[in-house]
Amino acid sequence: VEIPTIPRDLLFGNFKHRLPKISPDGRYLAYLGTDQYDRSTYYIYVQSLFTLNGASHDDDDDDQTFSAAKIGSPDAFIRNFFWAADSQTILYYVNSDGQPGDENYHLWAVNVFDGVRFYRDLTPGDNVKVQDVFLNSWKSSEIMVATNARNSSLFDMYRCNIYTGELVLDAINPGNVIAWGVDPQTFQVQQSIVRNQTDSSTTVLMRDVSISEGQIHFGEWTDLYHYPYGELGNYIGKGIDG
């Protein structure tokens, strides 16, 4: 009996749908998906949850028949995305040269309700790569993002307006920071993880951040926890009482 060969696409091809994410206001569903003409490329589909709940469709339906928006292009190679706090903007990662493999991901933004006409690269530049991204629920036009735009080997923190693309340098990497953390209440850089170049250990640092009379006050950086080489750890958060 001849056993048929399993199609390569079945094992290594793209899923038709993946990464479903609901908008912060609970009104819309976004997910990665392919279309009926191109199974090799992911697009971002956005649809109203009210339409979805009231519609009848099977798995073979074309997503475009019930989607509010379809984001992407055949050369975009989108692999991940998330909603901005305004429930209107989709933020997603795309390789800088439009080809998979170079790992220089840029952060792009698009408003799904303006006809998907304006795509904005929030982290432009050759050989620029995005790292940490933080959202702000009480100031939806602003995010914090780490990029290596200033120095290709270091990631600084920038404050970014997702509507205009304006980037303002917020925290400079002194040379040993490998990750940043942001306080959700003040939306200021409060944590950093540094790598010891001598023994490859890592240390989580924290500083106090407070706002009074419209002024931001920063405390000194202090060691929170030290991880020797071979151990892994990260900062998760702190309780309401500090």
Side-chain angles (χ1 to χ4, degrees):
V1 177
E2 183 178 353
I3 301 176
T5 302
I6 299 175
R8 182 179 298 177
D9 185 63
L10 185 63
L11 297 176
F12 304 106
N14 290 331
F15 294 102
K16 184 177 180 181
H17 304 126
R18 63 188 296 260
L19 296 181
K21 299 179 181 182
I22 297 176
S23 60
D25 63 6
R27 296 175 59 86
Y28 299 95
L29 171 69
Y31 59 92
L32 288 181
T34 60
D35 66 23
Q36 61 181 344
Y37 305 109
D38 181 11
R39 296 298 189 193
S40 65
T41 302
Y42 278 123
Y43 300 84
I44 303 172
Y45 291 96
V46 183
Q47 61 192 82
S48 167
L49 285 174
F50 301 103
T51 301
L52 178 63
N53 291 335
S56 175
H57 58 272
D58 55 41
D59 189 59
D60 294 328
D61 283 340
D62 184 359
D63 287 334
Q64 296 183 73
T65 63
F66 55 87
S67 292
K70 179 182 178 182
I71 301 167
S73 63
D75 59 351
F77 296 100
I78 298 172
R79 284 297 177 266
N80 199 3
F81 74 96
F82 46 94
W83 285 97
D86 64 359
S87 295
Q88 297 183 1
T89 305
I90 291 285
L91 304 170
Y92 59 97
Y93 301 105
V94 174
N95 277 352
S96 60
D97 63 357
Q99 298 297 322
D102 71 355
E103 303 299 326
N104 287 326
Y105 286 98
H106 285 202
L107 183 68
W108 285 71
V110 62
N111 187 305
V112 299
F113 301 109
D114 67 357
V116 197
R117 294 171 295 173
F118 304 107
Y119 293 79
R120 178 173 289 110
D121 186 355
L122 299 179
T123 54
D126 295 334
N127 299 316
V128 172
K129 182 178 181 179
V130 62
Q131 190 181 63
D132 304 307
V133 178
F134 300 92
L135 304 182
N136 182 355
S137 60
W138 51 270
K139 193 174 182 182
S140 59
S141 64
E142 195 171 86
I143 64 172
M144 296 284 279
V145 56
T147 81
N148 61 347
R150 183 184 62 87
N151 184 320
S152 61
S153 61
L154 301 174
F155 287 85
D156 304 313
M157 282 294 288
Y158 290 81
R159 198 170 294 272
C160 176
N161 186 305
I162 62 174
Y163 302 145
T164 66
E166 180 186 16
L167 283 169
V168 177
L169 183 60
D170 191 87
I172 295 178
N173 193 328
N176 59 350
V177 175
I178 59 175
W180 298 95
V182 171
D183 174 46
Q185 278 73 45
T186 62
F187 208 58
Q188 301 292 327
V189 174
Q190 188 182 40
Q191 305 92 34
S192 64
I193 299 178
V194 301
R195 175 70 49 80
N196 187 314
Q197 301 300 321
T198 302
D199 60 8
S200 294
S201 63
T202 56
T203 303
V204 179
L205 303 180
M206 177 178 284
R207 63 180 177 181
D208 291 328
V209 180
S210 61
I211 299 178
S212 62
E213 299 181 352
Q215 298 295 317
I216 303 172
H217 304 279
F218 296 102
E220 296 294 325
W221 287 104
T222 59
D223 292 1
L224 180 66
Y225 200 86
H226 180 78
Y227 295 93
Y229 174 75
E231 293 187 14
L232 299 177
N234 204 341
Y235 175 86
I236 302 299
K238 64 178 181 178
I240 298 177
D241 59 359

